[in-house]
């Protein structure tokens, strides 16, 4: 006969798996549009650093967020976005992804992002080279492990540890950010 705590754990696990089947969306059809919260580089000429967080895809979003970094040097026509994505490793690519865009605030496969850090002007201009250096030295650029890390949250946390002047505070649900320690 099962004890009560084991029964409760079994019920919880069955519930989570049942609900996750109901909420799994087709990632190919999930929104990747701009949330409209990033400054337009065509009109905002000053340097910008922003860190975003959005609920992780599907049921994982109940527990965790995905985070990424966007930088725009002074007078740049676009942002450079840095993020770590696990599916890239499965395809033989580095987990660390870098790309150019005018909209660094896109929904993360249906989840609206929020800014967890936003620096503009001279301070951003001074810190962008330090961020680029930290990114180039990220020790887990080719690795991804959902838990405990390294993962998408380990990356910005690690950059924040290298560039302390950012004052980056990772969200509580940034599972894997502690791996950077």
């Amino acid at each position: 006969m099962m004890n009560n705590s084991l029964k409760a754990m079994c019920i919880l696990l069955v519930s989570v798996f049942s609900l996750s089947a109901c909420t799994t969306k087709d990632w190919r059809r999930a929104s990747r549009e701009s949330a409209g919260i990033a400054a337009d580089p065509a009109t905002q000429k000053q340097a910008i650093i922003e860190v975003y967080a959005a609920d992780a895809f599907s049921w994982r979003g109940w527990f965790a967020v995905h985070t990424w970094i966007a930088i725009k040097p002074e007078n740049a026509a676009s942002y450079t976005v840095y993020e770590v994505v696990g599916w890239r490793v499965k395809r033989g690519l580095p987990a660390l992804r870098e790309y150019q865009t005018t909209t660094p605030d896109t929904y993360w496969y249906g989840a609206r992002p929020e800014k967890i850090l936003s620096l503009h002007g001279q301070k951003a201009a001074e810190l962008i080279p330090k961020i680029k250096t930290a990114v180039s030295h990220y020790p887990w650029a080719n690795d991804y492990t959902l838990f405990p890390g390294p993962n998408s949250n380990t990356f910005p946390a690690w950059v924040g540890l290298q560039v302390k002047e950012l004052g980056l505070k990772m969200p509580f649900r940034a599972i894997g950010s502690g791996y950077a320690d």
Side-chain angles (χ1 to χ4, degrees):
M1 184 185 281
M2 272 197 245
N3 67 33
N4 286 339
S5 61
L6 187 56
K7 280 183 187 178
M9 181 61 81
C10 289
I11 290 169
L12 177 64
L13 288 173
V14 168
S15 298
V16 167
F17 287 117
S18 297
L19 288 172
S20 70
C22 296
T23 61
T24 301
K25 301 174 190 170
D26 181 358
W27 62 268
R28 292 168 293 222
R29 293 189 180 122
S31 176
R32 293 287 289 149
E33 70 183 336
S34 170
I37 58 175
D40 181 353
T43 59
Q44 191 67 257
K45 298 302 179 186
Q46 63 185 342
I48 300 173
I49 300 168
E50 293 185 335
V51 180
Y52 295 92
D55 288 349
F57 182 70
S58 186
W59 62 269
R60 291 177 221 60
W62 298 345
F63 309 103
V65 293
H66 170 81
T67 54
W68 64 97
I69 300 172
I71 62 171
K72 186 194 80 63
E74 187 174 6
N75 297 317
S78 63
Y79 291 84
T80 301
V81 174
Y82 302 100
E83 67 182 342
V84 166
V85 185
W87 59 260
R88 290 177 52 87
V89 173
K90 293 177 185 173
R91 293 185 177 173
L93 300 167
L96 180 57
R97 177 179 180 224
E98 174 184 336
Y99 63 94
Q100 302 294 314
T101 183
T102 57
T103 56
D105 60 344
T106 56
Y107 277 61
W108 180 252
Y109 297 99
R112 181 179 173 79
E114 65 177 88
K115 291 181 195 178
I116 59 172
L117 177 90
S118 185
L119 298 174
H120 294 237
Q122 186 60 36
K123 184 173 184 180
E126 291 169 6
L127 295 180
I128 286 174
K130 293 179 179 184
I131 290 171
K132 288 181 176 182
T133 298
V135 168
S136 71
H137 292 96
Y138 180 59
W140 304 288
N142 296 305
D143 300 318
Y144 186 93
T145 303
L146 186 62
F147 184 80
N151 61 30
S152 66
N153 297 313
T154 307
F155 170 67
W158 190 86
V159 171
L161 290 171
Q162 307 312 302
V163 186
K164 293 192 185 310
E165 304 95 326
L166 279 174
L168 178 60
K169 304 268 189 275
M170 295 296 287
F172 176 75
R173 295 189 311 136
I175 295 171
S177 60
Y179 192 88
D181 295 335

